[in-house]
Amino acid sequence: MEPCDAARPGFDRVAGAPPRRLLLPPLLLSLLLGRGLRVAAAASASSGAAAEDSSAMEELATEKEAEESHRQDSVSLLTFILLLTLTILTIWLFKHRRVRFLHETGLAMIYGLIVGVILRYGTPATSGRDKSLSCTQEDRAFSTLLVNVSGKFFEYTLKGEISPGKINSVEQNDMLRKVTFDPEVFFNILLPPIIFHAGYSLKKRHFFRNLGSILAYAFLGTAVSCFIIGNLMYGVVKLMKIMGQLSDKFYYTDCLFFGAIISATDPVTVLAIFNELHADVDLYALLFGESVLNDAVAIVLSSSIVAYQPAGLNTHAFDAAAFFKSVGIFLGIFSGSFTMGAVTGVVTALVTKFTKLHCFPLLETALFFLMSWSTFLLAEACGFTGVVAVLFCGITQAHYTYNNLSVESRSRTKQLFEVLHFLAENFIFSYMGLALFTFQKHVFSPVFIIGAFVAIFLGRAAHIYPLSFFLNLGRRHKIGWNFQHMMMFSGLRGAMAFALAIRDTASYARQMMFTTTLLIVFFTVWIIGGGTTPMLSWLNIRVGVDPDQDPPPNNDSFQVLQGDGPDSARGNRTKQESAWIFRLWYSFDHNYLKPILTHSGPPLTTTLPAWCGLLARCLTSPQVYDNQEPLREEDSDFILTEGDLTLTYGDSTVTANGSSGSHTGSTSLEGSRRTKSSSEEVLERDLGMGDQKVSSRGTRLVFPLEDNA
């Protein structure tokens, strides 16, 4: 890197620095860089004594600037802390008064708007001593500069492009720049606890009971929504061009990118009201599961669209090879991120199992926290997506590592990530309100904004209704029209869409997307979130339901006639409505993975072959031999053991463990050690022999003769 003399209008760039179409005067950069990078340039002295005096004055001015910058940093952080404090107090008041028309996130946005107005119009402008210096000989800006000011060299870093008409507004207030955060702060600090908490607090029973539908909504539905919104917005952009309202380039790939980021739903308001009112658990599981996986799909999909690079001069034309390459990138990034998150969770489980960290709960909690957070950063550093990795890390940690933690660490980790999730989410929504007035690059286009609202509505409709129709063809418990309407209504946009939009605001198209996304989040959180309670009443959706209570039976599902208790009925319904492949997976997990990674499950010496005896004894925890009671966690609902199934044919009863009973006669399956697979084969074969009844743990289930699946 060669130094740039400020006396001449030119500078050289660092080797390998990415070129950008920016013109950033060096002294204007000092205004943008923040604390530690603003340097006051003084004139050189002609004699030694004058030079010393000038240097002393310059150091004094620099110290005063650093002190002022530190004070402004403290004020900006204090502003957000006071915002969160005020939000918490108002939330308590709303909960005390049972106010449900406005959620805490909407409240945080309102407070952010108020503070943004005060900072924008109520604070005095600073007297900027810095002035812009033109470097007209260069046709592009560079990431790092060395500026020679009278023999002294100063280093500057690229902050971003500023249009000539906004230079004065940027210089007018230092506080506006202080409260404008680097987008990486959202991805590396605020998003990880939000996403991890979603996976760590997942209610597995309801999630896996509806897993097939959730995957369809999250993957296929998000892709459909992305392409519908992208194509509709491309038509809007063409209309804007005809009307003369498009002042810069806006490509088709930009429209698809907007479709990807705006397809990330965040029904936090609706889910909070569902949880408070105890709404239908299956509807809650569908919405929550879709939103959790939908965020991961949206971020990987947006990355794949950015990676779309056709060969040839026209880099925005359709190219089949580039398209399939983007699809491969999507699959590679998602699968790699999933693997990295799951592996990190498995490593943490092994560490907590084979060490005695449970004797030191503080160290155990600290290790759990660091391993979980590092998953996000490790995935980003390896070129994958941290959101996907930390989500599946949270699910893995909840499934395995949580069983190895001490009682204190279980409580601490749950509460720690719950608090971090609450603060990070409300911080982001407060910043959204603030950014409406403090962000310097807004591009408001009424045509684009109205078109975006229409496209989102149509994209959500094409996402929910057709998929629900096809899913109902294979579901025993159908997704009713009232559920579909509620899911359509609950397509709010929130933190993920905002974070994806603000991550890149360099171009005109991205600035317009960010402004539109911000307004969409405001509307959906305030209007749609506020209408959740009336919509529940209007659609006749059950509220006040015990989370462990199943919906009432209908003609499309089996009926629970009688049983020994709610646990048996709940477990049976979970088994019957969960896909058989996942029931097989959970049986494998219970017999092999759980004993390897945790202190629960049957001893490996009883499940592995005899020739693996040494390995089984090494991997089996001593606690397993000391504690032989059956598994009592939610996962046991998915495990088909030999003693769970009883087949009843008229007066004859057949059990999978060899016992039998009858009023007039009985038939039993021979052998007391049938494997799970043989039990399932008998069950599946015999269920097609006429009028059958299936009884499980005292619960008798009646299936209709016709095949409703």
Side-chain angles (χ1 to χ4, degrees):
M1 176 174 62
E2 296 182 359
C4 170
D5 193 340
R8 64 180 177 86
F11 50 84
D12 298 324
R13 68 184 178 94
V14 182
R20 301 187 183 182
R21 298 177 181 177
L22 303 172
L23 182 60
L24 292 174
L27 291 181
L28 179 58
L29 273 173
S30 64
L31 179 67
L32 299 174
L33 294 180
R35 185 174 66 186
L37 293 178
R38 300 190 57 190
V39 180
S44 60
S46 58
S47 62
E52 291 179 1
D53 293 340
S54 176
S55 177
M57 293 178 62
E58 182 180 346
E59 290 178 0
L60 182 61
T62 303
E63 290 177 0
K64 289 183 177 180
E65 277 199 12
E67 184 178 351
E68 178 66 19
S69 178
H70 173 72
R71 186 189 67 83
Q72 290 181 355
D73 286 339
S74 301
V75 170
S76 62
L77 292 177
L78 178 62
T79 300
F80 284 103
I81 291 177
L82 292 177
L83 274 176
L84 292 176
T85 303
L86 185 60
T87 302
I88 291 173
L89 293 176
T90 313
I91 291 171
W92 169 81
L93 180 63
F94 277 26
K95 290 182 179 295
H96 181 68
R97 298 294 183 181
R98 298 185 182 277
V99 177
R100 297 192 180 98
F101 67 87
L102 185 63
H103 187 248
E104 59 199 44
T105 54
L107 193 64
M109 294 171 68
I110 292 177
Y111 287 145
L113 282 171
I114 296 173
V115 175
V117 171
I118 294 174
L119 291 177
R120 184 63 180 266
Y121 302 108
T123 55
T126 56
S127 58
R129 291 171 298 181
D130 302 320
K131 62 180 181 179
S132 60
L133 182 65
S134 298
C135 295
T136 56
Q137 292 182 358
E138 296 292 337
D139 60 351
R140 46 188 167 173
F142 309 106
S143 59
T144 305
L145 301 177
L146 277 183
V147 181
N148 182 357
V149 181
S150 302
K152 295 183 178 181
F153 295 95
F154 303 96
E155 182 180 0
Y156 297 92
T157 304
L158 179 67
K159 185 68 175 181
E161 181 182 8
I162 302 172
S163 60
K166 295 185 177 181
I167 290 180
N168 294 330
S169 63
V170 171
E171 293 178 347
Q172 71 178 359
N173 200 326
D174 287 339
M175 184 57 69
L176 296 182
R177 295 189 300 275
K178 290 292 183 181
V179 296
T180 302
F181 285 93
D182 189 324
E184 294 304 314
V185 171
F186 291 97
F187 268 82
N188 296 329
I189 298 178
L190 298 178
L191 277 185
I194 294 176
I195 304 300
F196 182 86
H197 178 264
Y200 194 51
S201 61
L202 190 69
K203 294 181 179 180
K204 295 187 289 295
R205 186 171 72 90
H206 301 295
F207 179 83
F208 283 102
R209 191 165 68 189
N210 297 278
L211 184 59
S213 301
I214 290 172
L215 291 176
Y217 285 128
F219 283 86
L220 186 58
T222 303
V224 169
S225 177
C226 168
F227 284 99
I228 288 179
I229 294 175
N231 284 279
L232 290 176
M233 292 312 299
Y234 187 64
V236 172
V237 168
K238 288 295 186 181
L239 178 62
M240 291 173 60
K241 187 175 182 180
I242 295 174
M243 298 172 60
Q245 296 188 9
L246 200 64
S247 58
D248 207 340
K249 296 179 180 179
F250 208 119
Y251 298 106
Y252 177 68
T253 51
D254 293 327
C255 296
L256 287 180
F257 179 81
F258 178 72
I261 65 175
I262 209 63
S263 295
T265 59
D266 186 16
V268 58
T269 303
V270 176
L271 293 177
I273 295 175
F274 278 14
N275 191 47
E276 185 177 352
L277 296 178
H278 299 290
D280 190 283
V281 290
D282 280 334
L283 177 60
Y284 184 94
L286 287 172
L287 275 175
F288 180 78
E290 180 206 358
S291 66
V292 167
L293 295 179
N294 166 273
D295 288 347
V297 173
I299 190 171
V300 179
L301 190 59
S302 62
S303 300
S304 302
I305 293 173
V306 171
Y308 177 78
Q309 294 180 347
L313 298 177
N314 189 356
T315 58
H316 295 276
F318 178 78
D319 188 319
F323 171 78
F324 286 108
K325 180 181 178 181
S326 295
V327 173
I329 291 175
F330 173 87
L331 297 176
I333 291 178
F334 196 94
S335 59
S337 303
F338 165 80
T339 303
M340 188 166 292
V343 167
T344 307
V346 167
V347 170
T348 310
L350 291 174
V351 171
T352 54
K353 177 183 177 180
F354 291 105
T355 62
K356 293 187 177 181
L357 275 173
H358 63 273
C359 299
F360 306 93
L362 179 62
L363 299 181
E364 189 178 39
T365 304
L367 178 68
F368 182 92
F369 175 80
L370 294 176
M371 290 291 289
S372 302
W373 200 303
S374 64
T375 304
F376 182 92
L377 301 177
L378 179 62
E380 292 289 335
C382 294
F384 296 110
T385 300
V387 170
V388 180
V390 79
L391 170 64
F392 288 100
C393 176
I395 296 175
T396 308
Q397 299 278 47
H399 191 57
Y400 297 115
T401 311
Y402 184 81
N403 297 303
N404 300 335
L405 300 179
S406 61
V407 177
E408 295 88 344
S409 295
R410 292 183 183 184
S411 176
R412 286 176 178 176
T413 54
K414 286 284 187 182
Q415 294 176 0
L416 173 63
F417 281 101
E418 186 176 4
V419 170
L420 290 177
H421 163 264
F422 173 82
L423 293 177
E425 191 168 59
N426 281 278
F427 183 94
I428 290 179
F429 279 94
S430 297
Y431 185 79
M432 288 184 196
L434 202 69
L436 187 63
F437 292 97
T438 60
F439 187 71
Q440 303 292 323
K441 303 175 183 179
H442 282 304
V443 177
F444 292 93
S445 173
V447 177
F448 190 85
I449 293 170
I450 295 174
F453 275 100
V454 175
I456 289 171
F457 177 82
L458 296 177
R460 184 71 178 172
H463 169 180
I464 296 297
Y465 295 115
L467 279 181
S468 299
F469 171 77
F470 288 110
L471 289 172
N472 281 337
L473 298 178
R475 284 177 62 100
R476 291 188 179 274
H477 187 66
K478 310 300 183 184
I479 303 174
W481 283 106
N482 56 344
F483 278 23
Q484 296 179 40
H485 295 328
M486 194 67 217
M487 294 178 67
M488 170 70 188
F489 180 80
S490 303
L492 283 73
R493 270 62 179 179
M496 180 58 68
F498 173 79
L500 289 173
I502 200 176
R503 197 173 193 181
D504 183 5
T505 56
S507 65
Y508 168 81
R510 297 298 175 87
Q511 293 167 9
M512 186 182 296
M513 292 180 203
F514 172 73
T515 303
T516 305
T517 301
L518 201 57
L519 295 177
I520 290 172
V521 172
F522 286 164
F523 178 84
T524 56
V525 170
W526 288 339
I527 306 301
I528 298 181
T532 300
T533 303
M535 184 62 68
L536 284 172
S537 176
W538 186 63
L539 293 175
N540 295 321
I541 294 176
R542 298 189 309 158
V543 295
V545 179
D546 184 351
D548 292 327
Q549 178 183 349
D550 289 320
N554 53 48
N555 293 331
D556 295 322
S557 63
F558 62 84
Q559 302 177 16
V560 179
L561 299 182
Q562 64 183 26
D564 295 336
D567 290 341
S568 59
R570 180 185 65 193
N572 234 314
R573 178 166 185 241
T574 300
K575 291 175 183 177
Q576 294 298 334
E577 292 204 350
S578 299
W580 65 271
I581 189 171
F582 295 105
R583 287 186 283 152
L584 291 177
W585 156 254
Y586 264 90
S587 298
F588 172 78
D589 174 67
H590 172 60
N591 291 329
Y592 302 104
L593 294 184
K594 275 291 182 70
I596 293 175
L597 301 176
T598 69
H599 300 299
S600 62
L604 288 172
T605 52
T606 62
T607 58
L608 288 177
W611 55 271
C612 297
L614 179 61
L615 180 64
R617 286 191 294 271
C618 293
L619 293 178
T620 302
S621 174
Q623 287 89 329
V624 174
Y625 298 102
D626 299 334
N627 186 14
Q628 292 289 339
E629 73 260 10
L631 195 64
R632 292 183 178 179
E633 55 183 320
E634 291 181 349
D635 301 323
S636 61
D637 291 340
F638 298 97
I639 300 167
L640 293 178
T641 58
E642 297 173 8
D644 285 348
L645 302 175
T646 301
L647 307 182
T648 303
Y649 307 95
D651 294 331
S652 299
T653 302
V654 183
T655 61
N657 62 2
S659 61
S660 62
S662 173
H663 297 291
T664 59
S666 63
T667 305
S668 64
L669 299 178
E670 296 181 357
S672 60
R673 293 188 178 181
R674 293 280 187 181
T675 62
K676 175 192 167 299
S677 59
S678 62
S679 301
E680 283 192 333
E681 290 174 359
V682 173
L683 174 64
E684 297 295 333
R685 183 178 66 249
D686 292 334
L687 282 180
M689 296 179 59
D691 186 11
Q692 309 99 357
K693 298 178 182 179
V694 179
S695 173
S696 173
R697 295 178 184 172
T699 301
R700 193 163 48 125
L701 309 177
V702 178
F703 290 85
L705 291 176
E706 64 274 11
D707 186 9
N708 289 326

